[in-house]
Amino acid sequence: MNNRVKMIDGVLNVPNNPVIPFVEGDGIGADIWAAAQSVFDAAVNKAYNGEKKVEWLEVLAGGKAFDKCGEWLPQGTEDAFKDYLIGIKGPLMTPVGGGIRSLNVTLRQNLDLFVCLRPITYYNGIETPVKEPEKVDIVVFRENTEDVYAGFELSSEDPKIEKVKSFFKEEMGWDIKGETGLGLKPMSKESTVRLVREAVKYAIKNDRKVVTLVHKGNIMKYTEGAFRNWGYEMALNEFPDQVTKDPKDKSKILINDCIADAFLQNILLKPEAYDVVATLNLNGDYCSDALAAQVGGIGISPGANINYHSGVAIFEATHGTAPDIAGKDMANPSSVILSGKMMFEYMGWLEAAELIEKGVSTTIKSKRVTGDLASMMSGDVKTVGTKEFASLIIKNM
Ligand code: NAI
């Protein structure tokens, strides 16, 4: 099939009519996906005059999958993401109980999507908790497969816990007392290097000035501290002509590091000091949401989970299924729309990506927005429904 995106010799090869699988998502998924698809098709059509067109392929996951085939994440869906390389998804409800893991985490782990990419920028018109939100323009590369999120966790009630505790006592001299749950925090050199390498490559390609390694290596020396050391080592060894540790050398990208708690202070006090950030899984989770809140964008921030080696990438809305407003034409589709913008950038369809950016930023600036954004604005604001918001984005491209 020649309408598949392929990875050839490490380079993504995108045909003019690529098949792109999508998961509509649960709750507001149907509302926001319909809106987003109309925006994507309009942007591609406007950018390429019919020369390029996405062939959307619906695949199932979440509640819709469970209703239709009795499984939350059918194998066919995972296979489609693997075969077609690029996919996009709306939010999925996490089934409660029954030992079912988060579907998002399962996809990230099974497809080894080792980077969680979260660009955070301010959109003019939104009122935010900080005075100068426009100073935030930060791209977070969060390691997606290790750290305390790897899933190595034992309940205090698990019969195996005593075995583990006595192993640590006898072999390591570590006395773990009382009724205790236990988790492992693996951080490998391999995962660190592949993550930081992509952050540096991104900085080079996008003319960024600084890459900051965010870690708690002062306390967790052999996991977070090792992340810092391996990150520096890789960047300076592999990119000696482009990267420096010397802040006075303005001809190169500066690589530096910051302790995670100081980072969370600094993004409020001097956000302009940060540009591209590479960090571990848990830090990355906290930092990307804190940054998104800072620009008033917690509901509109886009995201992607990417394996830059296999090429497999899933772009996704970062908010949840918002069951309270599902089916009411009230949901804000910006998160999945801006994730689509990232997807077109990844595909090299930059003209379509630019049109989406222009459509979204102009519409937000005009203050004709969905209720969630309207509540964060003052002055001449008009609340519009999901469908009308999408039409305005298309009109403003
Ligand atoms: P949520 O993000 O669905 O909702 C929190 C609040 O934000 C609600 O008041 C909701 O109406 C509002 N909201 C969220 N997205 C919105 C949008 N696009 N436009 C307007 N308002 C929006 O978070 P909650 O309630 O904690 O989770 C609901 C379900 O979503 C759970 O099953 C959870 O596991 C799942 N979830 C899925 C995620 C994903 O698939 N990436 C991420 C977060 C939660």
Side-chain angles (χ1 to χ4, degrees):
M1 276 227 289
N2 50 13
N3 53 354
R4 266 174 209 232
V5 176
K6 293 191 184 108
M7 193 68 149
I8 301 172
D9 297 331
V11 179
L12 211 57
N13 189 286
V14 181
N16 280 345
N17 295 81
V19 174
I20 296 189
F22 70 92
V23 171
E24 188 179 76
D26 296 320
I28 54 170
D31 312 54
I32 60 171
W33 176 257
Q37 194 181 322
S38 69
V39 169
F40 299 153
D41 288 340
V44 170
N45 193 37
K46 183 161 183 172
Y48 309 110
N49 275 320
E51 201 184 302
K52 295 180 197 266
K53 186 174 188 295
V54 173
E55 285 182 31
W56 301 107
L57 170 72
E58 182 168 15
V59 292
L60 300 179
K64 200 167 173 182
F66 191 75
D67 291 344
K68 288 205 172 162
C69 46
E71 283 178 83
W72 292 98
L73 186 60
Q75 187 59 41
T77 297
E78 210 178 299
D79 292 345
F81 285 133
K82 223 184 277 173
D83 291 345
Y84 293 102
L85 298 192
I86 293 175
I88 184 162
K89 59 175 273 299
L92 296 175
M93 64 195 250
T94 301
V96 179
I100 302 165
R101 289 180 72 193
S102 152
L103 303 175
N104 297 313
V105 174
T106 306
L107 273 174
R108 287 171 199 172
Q109 299 258 338
N110 291 1
L111 299 170
D112 194 25
L113 304 174
F114 64 85
V115 172
C116 178
L117 183 60
R118 295 277 303 266
I120 295 119
T121 42
Y122 172 64
Y123 282 92
N124 227 314
I126 300 179
E127 276 173 25
T128 78
V130 299
K131 284 189 198 137
E132 297 176 302
E134 64 284 354
K135 286 187 173 173
V136 177
D137 182 12
I138 298 175
V139 181
V140 178
F141 279 72
R142 162 185 166 194
E143 205 288 321
N144 227 359
T145 63
E146 294 197 343
D147 200 354
V148 283
Y149 282 21
F152 302 137
E153 224 187 357
L154 269 183
S155 148
S156 61
E157 289 163 15
D158 193 306
K160 290 192 281 291
I161 196 100
E162 287 311 319
K163 237 179 178 176
V164 176
K165 281 161 76 175
S166 59
F167 168 81
F168 281 129
K169 174 104 178 124
E170 280 154 32
E171 299 291 326
M172 322 291 294
W174 298 350
D175 199 2
I176 301 163
K177 293 190 189 75
E179 193 178 332
T180 308
L182 267 181
L184 262 188
K185 179 182 174 73
M187 195 62 240
S188 69
K189 182 170 184 180
E190 186 193 345
S191 293
T192 302
V193 163
R194 67 182 184 170
L195 184 271
V196 179
R197 183 184 291 125
E198 294 308 328
V200 171
K201 280 163 71 178
Y202 178 95
I204 294 170
K205 192 170 164 203
N206 294 281
D207 205 19
R208 295 283 187 149
K209 307 285 179 243
V210 187
V211 175
T212 304
L213 306 167
V214 174
H215 61 89
K216 276 296 285 181
N218 53 333
I219 309 293
M220 292 169 275
K221 297 190 190 315
Y222 306 120
T223 48
E224 305 238 352
F227 174 89
R228 168 192 179 276
N229 295 344
W230 289 325
Y232 272 124
E233 183 187 276
M234 184 288 306
L236 298 169
N237 284 343
E238 289 190 18
F239 302 94
D241 298 332
Q242 293 107 327
V243 174
T244 180
K245 254 177 113 171
D246 178 5
K248 286 194 222 89
D249 183 355
K250 302 289 180 204
S251 69
K252 292 182 184 168
I253 292 166
L254 175 68
I255 184 154
N256 60 17
D257 72 282
C258 187
I259 305 285
D261 42 305
F263 179 78
L264 286 168
Q265 294 177 28
N266 292 343
I267 54 174
L268 291 170
L269 301 172
K270 46 171 183 173
E272 66 279 14
Y274 299 103
D275 196 347
V276 175
V277 163
T279 189
L280 300 93
N281 211 337
L282 179 62
N283 297 336
D285 201 355
Y286 296 154
C287 293
S288 37
D289 275 8
L291 280 164
Q294 212 167 310
V295 296
I298 198 83
I300 68 167
S301 292
N305 298 291
I306 306 177
N307 181 321
Y308 288 90
H309 304 163
S310 65
V312 178
I314 302 180
F315 297 81
E316 66 175 2
T318 56
H319 54 73
T321 59
D324 49 331
I325 55 167
K328 295 184 181 162
D329 193 37
M330 284 169 74
N332 181 350
S334 299
S335 179
V336 74
I337 290 175
L338 291 170
S339 301
K341 177 203 150 195
M342 289 171 72
M343 180 182 78
F344 288 122
E345 281 168 350
Y346 183 71
M347 290 160 63
W349 292 16
L350 302 183
E351 299 79 5
E354 274 166 27
L355 286 173
I356 294 171
E357 175 66 27
K358 184 163 172 253
V360 171
S361 56
T362 309
T363 308
I364 291 178
K365 206 168 160 190
S366 76
K367 301 190 181 179
R368 301 294 178 263
V369 289
T370 48
D372 58 314
L373 287 182
S375 69
M376 292 192 281
M377 292 178 171
S378 54
D380 177 22
V381 186
K382 185 175 171 233
T383 300
V384 300
T386 312
K387 289 188 193 122
E388 192 182 344
F389 186 64
S391 305
L392 288 169
I393 293 175
I394 294 170
K395 200 173 128 221
N396 287 326
M397 275 176 190

